[in-house]
Amino acid sequence: MAPRPDPLTLEVVELIGTVVARYYEEYEDAAAKHSLTGAQARVLGLLSHEPMPMRRIALRLKCEPSNVTGIVDRLEARGLVERRPDPADRRVKLAAPTDQGRETASRLGDALDFAREPLAELTTVERTMLRDLLRRMLGEEAGTAAAAAAGD
C-alpha cells in the first residue's frame, strides 16, 4: 500500500484542482456567451492554431473520436468549422476553422481572464518556473514539450 500523502502534497493537489475548476467554469461561461458548449469552444480553440484530423483532436482532448465528430458536425452547421482534405493524405479529413470560427475563437480567448490576470502578477522567472514544474509533473521535458506542441 502506498504511503499516505503529506499535508503539503494534499494542499497542492487541492489548489491545482481549484485552479482547474475555476478555469473550466470561466471557459464554460465564455463559451455560453457565444452559444457554444465548453467542448465546442475547446475544439474551436485547438483548431484556431492549426487544422487537424478528428483523431488528433480526440487525443488532445482525451475523448472518443466519435464525440469529436459530433462536436465538429455542430460547429460546421454553424459555419465555424469546415472539413477539408489533408494535403499530405487525401484520405484524411481535416477540421479547420472558417474565418468566422477564427474570429469566435479569438473573442473566446480574449474573454478568459481568470488565468491571465493572476499569472500577470508573477514575474517572467516565476511563470517559467511554474510552467517547467507543471511539465515535470506531467512527465514532459521542457524542450520536448515545446517541440511536441509545435509538431502536434
Side-chain angles (χ1 to χ4, degrees), residues 78-144:
R78 293 201 37 208
L80 300 174
V81 168
E82 64 185 6
R83 287 179 170 93
R84 59 172 81 141
D86 184 342
D89 183 349
R90 295 190 57 80
R91 296 170 296 177
V92 175
K93 293 284 186 195
L94 298 177
T98 61
D99 289 340
Q100 182 184 355
R102 274 189 290 283
E103 183 181 313
T104 301
S106 177
R107 285 193 314 244
L108 276 164
D110 291 344
L112 298 174
D113 293 327
F114 168 71
R116 189 178 306 120
E117 288 177 9
L119 286 173
E121 295 179 18
L122 301 178
T123 67
T124 301
V125 170
E126 290 169 328
R127 288 193 313 272
T128 301
M129 185 183 308
L130 177 59
R131 180 205 60 203
D132 292 347
L133 288 169
L134 291 169
R135 285 180 175 169
R136 185 169 156 199
M137 286 175 62
L138 294 171
E140 301 174 359
E141 296 297 323
T144 307

Side-chain angles (χ1 to χ4, degrees), residues 32-69:
K33 289 177 183 165
H34 294 281
S35 300
L36 297 169
T37 65
Q40 290 170 339
R42 284 187 287 282
V43 168
L44 194 56
L46 276 177
L47 296 177
S48 71
H49 299 292
E50 68 172 319
M52 61 180 72
M54 287 353 140
R55 191 167 299 283
R56 188 174 342 149
I57 297 169
L59 286 171
R60 295 283 299 274
L61 296 180
K62 301 191 181 351
C63 68
E64 293 297 317
S66 60
N67 292 346
V68 172
T69 300

